[in-house]
Amino acid sequence: VTGASFVVFNGALKTSSGFLAKSSIVEDGLMVQITPETMESLRQALRDKKDFKITCGKADTGDIKEYVDICWVENEEQTNIG
């Protein structure tokens, strides 16, 4: 679990890169590189206020261990204490 001050979604990741998505720490935030198709799905999920999960890692390996979860919550005070 990583806490971040901000999140940047970059929708320019090429499918030919071999990655489903890539995430990296940038200063005190998180940058998530995704394909244009995933970006469109993310935008739709945000419009619809739906949870969305981005799987990061190489597309051809079964050893995927990193996810970026966007979750809508009812009460922000309970999830962001401290």
Side-chain angles (χ1 to χ4, degrees):
V1 174
T2 301
S5 296
F6 64 90
V7 179
V8 175
F9 294 100
N10 177 342
L13 184 67
K14 304 245 185 277
T15 309
S16 60
S17 71
F19 284 91
L20 297 168
K22 294 167 67 175
S23 67
S24 55
I25 304 294
V26 179
E27 296 190 17
D28 62 341
L30 178 69
M31 181 171 69
V32 185
Q33 298 174 359
I34 55 178
T35 62
E37 296 82 15
T38 304
M39 178 64 90
E40 186 53 41
S41 298
L42 172 59
R43 286 182 179 150
Q44 189 60 50
L46 292 173
R47 282 186 212 109
D48 297 340
K49 295 185 178 179
K50 304 275 183 180
D51 293 351
F52 193 79
K53 184 177 216 172
I54 299 170
T55 304
C56 299
K58 286 271 199 186
D60 57 357
T61 63
D63 190 27
I64 300 168
K65 296 181 182 170
E66 195 170 296
Y67 300 94
V68 176
D69 288 320
I70 296 103
C71 303
W72 291 88
V73 296
E74 292 295 322
N75 187 347
E76 186 176 323
E77 291 175 11
Q78 293 180 359
T79 57
N80 290 331
I81 294 174

